[in-house]
Amino acid sequence: AIIKRITKEIESTSGLSFTVNNRLTKPDKLITSTLNFYQSLKRYRKTNQGGYPNRIDVLNIDVSEDNEHRAYLIMDTIIKLLRVRHHDVIVRYRDTFAVIQGEEIKIRIREKQNFLDTRETLGKAFNLNSGELIFVIGDYNKKEFRDGAEKLENKISSIVAYLEYQGNIKKDERIKWEIRRKEEERQEQIRREFKERQDKEVKEFKNLFLQAIRLHQANILRTYIQTVDSNMIKNGKLTEDYTRWKAWAEIKISWYDPLINGADPLLSNYHKTNIFKELLKEWQ
């Protein structure tokens, strides 16, 4: 129903030509480049001289020589009609695409092949050109417009309508895909930001925990020095070496205490972080 509506809308548009002429009149540039290539190819194969012609902007038309002219006329009419409808046709490598709503749809014209099995007499099998032309739209889920009761020449508006229909479908699918992709990216950004916040929180908590451990350990060391000092005074063992050791120990405790973070000429923050881990390994 949608395709029929588009077909009627196209056919009712003034100034559009659906007539396939008997001769090429001001052919589209892609028709011209295709003709030039195959003419050059025929000369090359006939004379076997010069270089193989460059295949540039050659339409995907696979028909016998007897049907080349007719295929060019049909393709030229369709291309011109698409351009008037503000669409485009492009060639990439060996493929031809109608560009509808910015979406690329593969198109080509081929000729139906009839299989002739003569192996019983000649030992060979042949594919014979049937003269029946087929306009193919798409690649995997392809749609074919064939010669039949009506020739392809009478199906031009239906072909263009189907291309526009497919272009609209592909555009809608692309928009939906873009919406899904952006939503997935947004969700991924949310997950990434949450993970970053989580990692930062864990890092800060670890640091808090380490600071608390360091303070606790610094206080243990102070208690130890106070106990040793009391014992030295009690036993009358306050020597010069002990006094130097006590001063050294107090400097190290001030350096290790997270509330003081005193300076030390030899040890760095790396040692503050790892010295307890190294002790744990030694104790194990």
Side-chain angles (χ1 to χ4, degrees):
I2 297 175
I3 298 175
K4 287 182 178 180
R5 177 178 57 78
I6 298 173
T7 303
K8 287 181 180 179
E9 186 267 319
I10 291 173
E11 291 176 344
S12 63
T13 303
S14 61
L16 297 184
S17 174
F18 308 99
T19 303
V20 178
N21 297 318
N22 293 324
R23 54 181 297 182
L24 287 170
T25 304
K26 295 182 180 179
D28 185 84
K29 59 184 179 180
L30 292 177
I31 296 293
T32 301
S33 58
T34 303
L35 280 167
N36 291 339
F37 170 77
Y38 282 113
Q39 287 172 359
S40 299
L41 183 61
K42 288 174 184 177
R43 286 195 298 269
Y44 171 77
R45 287 174 174 171
K46 185 176 181 179
T47 62
N48 201 25
Q49 293 180 353
Y52 192 90
N54 292 326
R55 188 184 180 96
I56 300 174
D57 288 340
V58 179
L59 294 163
N60 191 346
I61 297 176
D62 184 16
V63 299
S64 61
E65 188 171 346
D66 291 341
N67 284 290
E68 282 180 357
H69 183 66
R70 182 181 168 220
Y72 293 147
L73 290 170
I74 292 171
M75 186 66 89
D76 186 55
T77 304
I78 291 172
I79 292 174
K80 288 175 178 176
L81 186 55
L82 286 171
R83 295 198 193 282
V84 172
R85 296 281 293 174
H86 306 293
H87 306 308
D88 196 9
V89 175
I90 62 172
V91 173
R92 185 179 299 116
Y93 305 112
R94 291 181 175 269
D95 292 323
T96 304
F97 299 89
V99 184
I100 315 291
Q101 301 279 6
E103 306 298 325
E104 296 181 1
I105 304 169
K106 192 177 289 187
I107 61 173
R108 67 188 181 106
I109 292 181
R110 69 179 183 88
E111 184 173 351
K112 180 184 175 183
Q113 301 291 301
N114 288 330
F115 182 71
L116 178 63
D117 192 346
T118 59
R119 284 176 292 186
E120 293 183 0
T121 56
L122 301 176
K124 294 182 180 180
F126 298 94
N127 281 325
L128 299 179
N129 297 315
S130 67
E132 179 184 332
L133 297 189
I134 304 170
F135 191 92
V136 185
I137 298 175
D139 196 358
Y140 300 106
N141 298 320
K142 58 188 176 183
K143 168 75 172 178
E144 295 184 340
F145 290 83
R146 296 169 169 262
D147 282 334
E150 277 191 300
K151 293 290 187 181
L152 276 181
E153 285 85 345
N154 297 321
K155 300 178 181 180
I156 302 298
S157 59
S158 297
I159 290 171
V160 173
Y162 188 82
L163 285 169
E164 292 192 357
Y165 170 71
Q166 286 297 312
N168 290 330
I169 288 178
K170 292 189 71 172
K171 181 182 178 182
D172 290 342
E173 289 175 347
R174 177 174 55 81
I175 291 172
K176 290 176 183 176
W177 180 85
E178 284 289 337
I179 292 172
R180 286 197 303 271
R181 182 184 62 81
K182 288 180 180 179
E183 178 60 21
E184 288 172 359
E185 287 179 354
R186 190 181 72 85
Q187 292 296 332
E188 179 59 29
Q189 179 69 16
I190 291 172
R191 285 192 292 270
R192 187 164 53 248
E193 289 175 354
F194 178 80
K195 183 67 166 56
E196 289 172 357
R197 287 171 53 205
Q198 192 178 55
D199 290 346
K200 182 181 178 183
E201 198 81 358
V202 170
K203 183 179 179 181
E204 290 179 352
F205 181 78
K206 283 182 178 178
N207 184 59
L208 174 65
F209 193 74
L210 288 173
Q211 298 287 77
I213 289 175
R214 278 175 49 200
L215 179 61
H216 180 63
Q217 292 167 340
N219 289 330
I220 290 174
L221 291 172
R222 286 193 181 95
T223 301
Y224 170 72
I225 289 180
Q226 289 172 2
T227 302
V228 172
D229 198 52
S230 297
N231 188 60
M232 288 294 187
I233 292 172
K234 181 180 179 180
N235 295 306
K237 295 182 179 180
L238 292 176
T239 64
E240 186 176 336
D241 287 343
Y242 169 74
T243 302
R244 283 196 298 270
W245 175 85
K246 180 182 176 183
W248 171 86
E250 288 176 341
I251 291 173
K252 296 303 176 189
I253 293 170
S254 295
W255 162 79
Y256 193 67
D257 189 330
L259 300 181
I260 300 175
N261 281 317
D264 189 276
L266 296 176
L267 302 180
S268 65
N269 287 331
Y270 170 82
H271 298 97
K272 287 181 183 179
T273 304
N274 292 281
I275 197 166
F276 187 64
K277 295 179 183 178
E278 293 170 1
L279 284 171
L280 286 176
K281 290 181 180 179
E282 292 177 9
W283 292 339
Q284 290 174 352

